[in-house]
């Protein structure tokens, strides 16, 4: 299988540098939990969440602190090692295009540029696996930069193809209105609910 964009563009040393950067930001009191606040607002208390492409699981750990049951997944072994430092998470090393955890979640979150770091051409496969892990009516939240090869238009087409319906799009995690020239896209999509 071809490497992901993350694997092509980053080394183990760069992954460790990424971890150190966020540790420094946290030590300086920088607010690192905007994504978690936004996602938490979408969820019922005690929801099950899959942190897909979790990195260090900063987001997943904060959601767990807020009372949710969180499973985290990443392909990068350096990030998986860091994520496993959070005792309140279940962490797996896995490729999102082949993910099969054998369970459903109330929510799946793919924050920090996960979708634009996929192997080119595999984004839809990853979304198929993500959709298969959503409970009926479950929510999928993704955030990524808009200056990459994988565009919001491509993402929207892939969401439709895997049966997810877009409900909202924002230009930031603090819910600023979406506009086509935004540097960032935060999309909220949902799986179909069971018919009564």
């Amino acid at each position: 299988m071809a490497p992901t964009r993350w694997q092509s563009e980053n080394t183990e040393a760069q992954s460790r540098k990424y971890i150190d950067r966020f540790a420094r930001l946290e030590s300086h009191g920088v607010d690192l939990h905007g994504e978690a606040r936004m996602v938490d607002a979408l969820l019922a208390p005690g929801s099950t969440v899959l942190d897909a492409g979790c990195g260090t699981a900063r987001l997943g750990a904060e959601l767990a602190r807020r009372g949710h049951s969180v499973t985290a997944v990443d392909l990068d072994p350096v990030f998986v090692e860091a994520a496993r430092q959070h005792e309140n998470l279940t962490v797996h090393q896995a490729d999102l295009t082949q993910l099969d955890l054998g369970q459903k979640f109330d929510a799946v979150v793919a924050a920090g540029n996960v979708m634009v770091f996929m192997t080119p051409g595999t984004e839809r496969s990853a979304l198929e696996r993500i959709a298969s892990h959503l409970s009926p009516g479950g929510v999928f939240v993704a955030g990524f930069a808009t200056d990459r090869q994988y565009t919001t238009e491509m993402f929207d087409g892939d969401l439709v193809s895997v049966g997810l319906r877009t409900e909202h799009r924002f230009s930031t995690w603090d819910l600023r209105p979406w506009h086509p020239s935004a540097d960032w896209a935060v999309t909220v999509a949902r799986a179909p609910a069971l018919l009564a």
Side-chain angles (χ1 to χ4, degrees):
M1 175 183 277
T4 65
R5 289 186 184 108
W6 179 263
Q7 292 168 317
S8 299
E9 297 172 13
N10 294 276
T11 63
E12 179 180 335
Q14 287 169 307
S15 293
R16 294 196 185 283
K17 188 175 178 181
Y18 174 95
I19 293 169
D20 292 344
R21 175 178 172 249
F22 278 94
R24 277 194 314 277
L25 290 170
E26 185 175 27
S27 72
H28 287 100
V30 174
D31 177 16
L32 300 177
H33 300 302
E35 301 104 325
R37 282 194 302 276
M38 185 263 196
V39 173
D40 184 44
L42 295 169
L43 302 177
S47 290
T48 56
V49 181
L50 174 61
D51 186 357
C54 66
T56 62
R58 172 177 48 87
L59 168 60
E62 178 62 15
L63 288 172
R65 190 190 70 76
R66 291 168 180 254
H68 303 292
S69 176
V70 181
T71 298
V73 175
D74 205 284
L75 184 59
D76 186 319
V78 174
F79 287 163
V80 168
E81 177 187 346
R84 287 184 172 146
Q85 302 307 307
H86 302 287
E87 295 178 2
N88 52 355
L89 304 179
T90 301
V91 181
H92 300 277
Q93 183 174 349
D95 185 327
L96 292 179
T97 65
Q98 301 171 17
L99 191 64
D100 185 5
L101 298 177
Q103 68 182 105
K104 303 276 188 181
F105 297 87
D106 299 315
V108 178
V109 183
N113 274 324
V114 171
M115 293 308 304
V116 297
F117 278 126
M118 302 293 303
T119 304
T122 67
E123 298 90 354
R124 185 173 295 183
S125 296
L127 289 173
E128 285 173 353
R129 299 311 310 145
I130 285 169
S132 76
H133 285 81
L134 276 172
S135 297
V139 68
F140 172 50
V141 184
F144 56 85
T146 59
D147 63 346
R148 306 299 175 94
Q149 279 181 287
Y150 189 64
T151 65
T152 53
E153 292 80 13
M154 296 163 76
F155 180 60
D156 290 344
D158 288 342
L159 286 175
V160 170
S161 76
V162 303
L164 298 179
R165 180 176 50 85
T166 300
E167 290 188 341
H168 304 286
R169 175 162 291 144
F170 305 99
S171 64
T172 62
W173 288 98
D174 60 356
L175 310 183
R176 295 187 189 185
W178 167 252
H179 54 92
S181 60
D183 296 333
W184 195 262
V186 177
T187 304
V188 179
R190 196 169 296 274
L194 288 176
L195 297 176

